[in-house]
Amino acid sequence: MALSIHTNYSALTTNTSLNKFNSALSTNQQRLGTGLRINSAADDAAGLQIATRLNAQSRGMAVAMRNTGDATSMLQTAEGAFSEMTDITQRMKDLATQAANGTNGVADLKSIQAEYDELGKELLNIFKNTKYAGEGLFSNGTTNDGATGKFGLAAGVTFQIGSSASETMVVNASAKLGTLATNLGAASDIFTDNGATAALVGDDIVTVVAGPPETGTNNANATITKLETLLNSLGEVRAQFGASINRLSHTSNNLANMKDNTEMAKGRIMDADFAIESANMSKNSMLMQSGISMLKQAGQMPGMVMSLLG
């Protein structure tokens, strides 16, 4: 190679290599500093696009898991209310069965009727006032129509249980709640009392006629069948809610599994391998030091040309 003052080829090539090593070293340091292999689209355009979609899916599934938990809580609140209503109805049936026995006098029947009426009032209270986050589940609080609460809606209640628009779950209990409301009214006159008219005596355990002498007509036997029908209606609604709760439990487990694997897939694309990056940083750092040393040597070449003129 010719000796020249104007063009120092060795210095130029060494400087170019130094710039490359410096850029690579900066990339290594950035990855080690952030823990990410991809810090900008320039690092891996296709990988960044894939990772962005995976991240959106993962975050969507995290929110869906919270949605599933909230939906489970709502359904458990509803099922818990019906559990208590079932216990009350069982007691009302016991009272009706007891009252149907001919050993009871009018005073006995009136005492049984008093408890029966109070239990009927509590059935109405639970049905009208069971709420979740301030929203009535079975009624709007002013009527006994099962179609006015959350679960009484004709379209049912829609739960978002996934990260995409198609991943929804609808719980529609409007028909069963309507039947339940009807059977509740048939089982307890207190339940159907709207406050403006007197209770319907036809559903009382006993119809008392003032005396003297005070007399009573025992209606308890017919009420037993009505209460059995009510228990069946309560069981149907509880079964639907229980099935939905079980499904949500499996949904939550599946979401957790998908989220974990999606996070791992994103990590394989985005995360920096510290072992590789540390090794590359050491290599590029050594090459930088070597290049700087050689650049110093290359800078002495024009001085060697001057010695030819001496």
Side-chain angles (χ1 to χ4, degrees), residues 18-102:
L18 275 175
N19 289 334
K20 291 180 180 179
F21 297 146
N22 184 54
S23 177
L25 183 60
S26 297
T27 299
N28 297 144
Q29 291 172 335
Q30 183 184 37
R31 289 174 176 174
L32 290 172
T34 62
L36 298 174
R37 184 181 71 87
I38 303 175
N39 291 282
S40 68
D43 293 332
D44 186 348
L48 179 63
Q49 185 180 20
I50 296 171
T52 299
R53 292 202 304 269
L54 290 173
N55 187 49
Q57 184 178 1
S58 176
R59 293 180 60 167
M61 286 187 288
V63 176
M65 290 174 65
R66 295 199 299 270
N67 288 352
T68 301
D70 292 340
T72 300
S73 297
M74 175 183 280
L75 290 171
Q76 287 175 336
T77 301
E79 198 277 329
F82 286 127
S83 175
E84 189 60 33
M85 290 175 72
T86 300
D87 292 340
I88 292 174
T89 305
Q90 292 280 17
R91 176 56 182 165
M92 293 175 74
K93 184 176 181 296
D94 291 344
L95 292 172
T97 304
Q98 180 183 358
N101 196 14

Side-chain angles (χ1 to χ4, degrees), residues 103-173:
T103 60
N104 298 294
V106 175
D108 299 326
L109 293 174
K110 287 178 65 177
S111 297
I112 295 174
Q113 180 68 53
E115 182 180 352
Y116 185 90
D117 287 346
E118 290 304 315
L119 293 175
K121 290 177 182 178
E122 186 55 27
L123 281 178
L124 174 60
N125 178 61
I126 293 174
F127 193 79
K128 287 175 61 176
N129 297 314
T130 299
K131 299 178 179 179
Y132 180 82
E135 296 289 332
L137 295 183
F138 319 125
S139 170
N140 61 11
T142 58
T143 71
N144 60 4
D145 182 3
T148 57
K150 277 276 188 181
F151 290 107
L153 297 174
V157 181
T158 300
F159 300 117
Q160 183 67 41
I161 58 172
S163 59
S164 63
S166 61
E167 295 177 271
T168 60
M169 172 182 171
V170 179
V171 177
N172 191 335

Side-chain angles (χ1 to χ4, degrees), residues 240-257:
Q240 181 174 358
F241 285 146
S244 298
I245 290 171
N246 287 338
R247 176 185 172 183
L248 286 171
S249 176
H250 291 292
T251 299
S252 180
N253 292 338
N254 186 52
L255 284 170
N257 174 63

